[in-house]
Amino acid sequence: GNALLSRWPIGDVGHHDVSDHRFEQRGLLHVPVAAAFGTVHAIVAHLGLIHASRVRQVERIAALIDAEVPAGEPLILAGDFNDWGEKLDPALRRIGLD
């Protein structure tokens, strides 16, 4: 499962299914956090074990960011990426996360 702990108040938590196939159920949370300096969007992910699935899941994360995170607002992407060889780095860079 996914969890986010925060010292600041959190807004409405959005749970999004990013399962790529029926053998691995995967999801993420989108949590707006009311920090002292403004809203920070936290996305907590648990990505799949297969590299191709993780790449498709990063594409879904990109779509979520485009749809729900206003341009210019701070964003933190955290969680279990199951990316032991750092092979997701190019996919994450393509969506502006590095």
Side-chain angles (χ1 to χ4, degrees):
N2 297 327
L4 176 75
L5 303 175
S6 174
R7 70 169 47 186
W8 297 295
I10 61 173
D12 292 333
V13 176
H15 180 265
H16 303 272
D17 182 14
V18 292
S19 300
D20 191 55
H21 50 81
R22 64 186 172 134
F23 300 110
E24 286 184 308
Q25 299 299 308
R26 300 295 174 172
L28 59 86
L29 300 176
H30 171 219
V31 184
V33 178
F37 53 85
T39 300
V40 175
H41 295 267
I43 296 176
V44 183
H46 187 189
L47 303 185
L49 297 174
I50 301 168
H51 176 69
S53 292
R54 292 191 299 271
V55 170
R56 288 187 288 271
Q57 290 164 334
V58 167
E59 291 169 358
R60 289 183 181 165
I61 291 169
L64 172 74
I65 291 168
D66 287 344
E68 296 191 16
V69 178
E73 289 198 0
L75 169 69
I76 297 171
L77 174 62
D80 184 351
F81 299 107
N82 283 316
D83 187 36
W84 312 280
E86 298 178 6
K87 294 178 183 177
L88 273 183
D89 289 358
L92 291 168
R93 283 189 196 99
R94 278 194 298 277
I95 67 169
L97 299 173
D98 46 1

